[in-house]
Amino acid sequence: MFGPNIKMKVLFISQYFYPEVFKGNEIVFDFAKKGYDVTVLTGKPNYPKGDFYEGYSFFGKKEETIKGVKILRSPLFPRKSGKAIPLALNYLSFIFFSYFTVLFRVKDKYDIIFVQQLSPATMALPGLWVKKKQKIPMVLWVLDLWPESVIATTSLKKGRVIDFIEKLVRKIYAKSDVILVSSKSFKKSIQNKCEDKNKNIQYFPNWAEDVFVNVKETSIQIPELPEGFNVMFAGNVGESQGFEAILDAAEKTKEETINWIVVGDGRKLNWLKKEVKERNLTKVYPLGRYPLETMPHFFKKADAMLVSLKDTPVFGITVPAKVQAYMASGKMILGMINGEGKDLINESKCGYAVAAEDSSSLSEKAIKLLYSSEKERNEMESNALKYYQGNFSKEKLFSNLENLFQAYN
């Protein structure tokens, strides 16, 4: 165990890190504040726009310190449009260059490795290399299942590439000392890929960022929202979210005073704007991307928040992180989502969730919310906040993670 004057040295690994907005940022900065000596191995920030953030380039800024955290940045090719070839180059270049980062630039001796594993799953490989080199434990936090996500979002359904990914993922799981899952439903999929049926797999769900929990009055300006009942989607506008069905629902409610507000950016945004124009969907408002700190102010002006995913098996066992942000903000939630996410919304009684891509049911529930009484709305909003505080409190989750780290030393 570590005494009060001895800093535990943690190596955090993820292809994505601040100024890109991902959950792991909070873990890193929170643990650094508590006195942990945290180093980050990551790439050059370029998500979601596809180009390097201002001040960063392929060769520039290899190392920096932010809020007391040392950050080692490996070169990579930016994801650009997010289409197959630039995205593959983005994924592969991070792995290629991070190998040399591990070989020549990771010089400190660490006590534990913590990997935030989003897409691609290959971002866990530098963790395995450091683990082998330093013979230290590795905790893998799985936020995206592979190859399931690849099968769900690309034309690859089976064959050599999928077989290779499956083999690689099995190796990553086998070499991990502890696997944390953001969704309880992930556990079965991971267990099926582990030879060790007693693999230490623990539930570690998402939480809402501090900006949603401790909302401060600021002078931040956001656009005025239209008159009427505003259903707001906030987050990535991509292939996974099933925007085709959202637009169909908007078309079905066009005679009602329901507006569909989309705050966010992604590969599907230009398509969305084009569809809205071509279909003359005058009550759909794609507003584009805004900084994270503005989100609570958008949420406050919305009547209900929308979460959706496509109708594919992997998304049926996924709970998008926005659900926790919506709950922490005490908002009613409309869900068009399967499995655990759907159950979470309905069981907490904070709104209504229908099956993925069921635009007819979504439009019906949107209309039901429109005509709900003030008392019913207040109850749903109260239920959202209570459920968040009881199940997704960041303080409780981070305390559990800290105990897990300490148990390995």
Side-chain angles (χ1 to χ4, degrees), residues 23 141 143 181-183 203-209 212-213 299 307 318-331 333 340-341 344-345 350 384-385 387-389 391-394 397:
K23 290 292 184 183
W141 183 27
L143 290 143
V181 292
S182 58
S183 168
Y203 180 49
F204 185 70
N206 284 303
W207 61 93
E209 288 88 347
F212 298 107
V213 178
F299 288 17
V307 57
T318 300
V319 179
K322 61 168 61 71
V323 172
Q324 279 87 352
Y326 293 171
M327 284 184 162
S329 303
K331 303 302 295 186
I333 302 176
E340 193 170 338
L344 179 59
I345 295 165
C350 67
L385 187 55
Y387 197 90
Y388 175 81
Q389 290 170 339
N391 296 273
F392 304 119
S393 158
K394 187 177 94 167
L397 294 174

Side-chain angles (χ1 to χ4, degrees), residues 342-356:
K342 181 183 176 186
D343 294 342
L344 179 59
I345 295 165
N346 289 330
E347 286 171 12
S348 62
K349 296 181 179 177
C350 67
Y352 304 112
V354 303

Side-chain angles (χ1 to χ4, degrees), residues 135-149:
K135 296 179 172 55
I136 55 174
M138 183 177 104
V139 177
L140 179 73
W141 183 27
V142 179
L143 290 143
D144 206 357
L145 286 177
W146 272 44
E148 290 92 333
S149 286

Side-chain angles (χ1 to χ4, degrees), residues 24-38:
N25 299 0
E26 284 196 78
I27 293 176
V28 167
F29 294 133
D30 188 88
F31 273 61
K33 221 185 267 185
K34 288 177 179 174
Y36 287 78
D37 186 346
V38 187

Side-chain angles (χ1 to χ4, degrees), residues 174-185:
K175 298 287 185 182
S176 300
D177 295 275
V178 182
I179 299 174
L180 304 180
V181 292
S182 58
S183 168
K184 291 176 184 175
S185 307

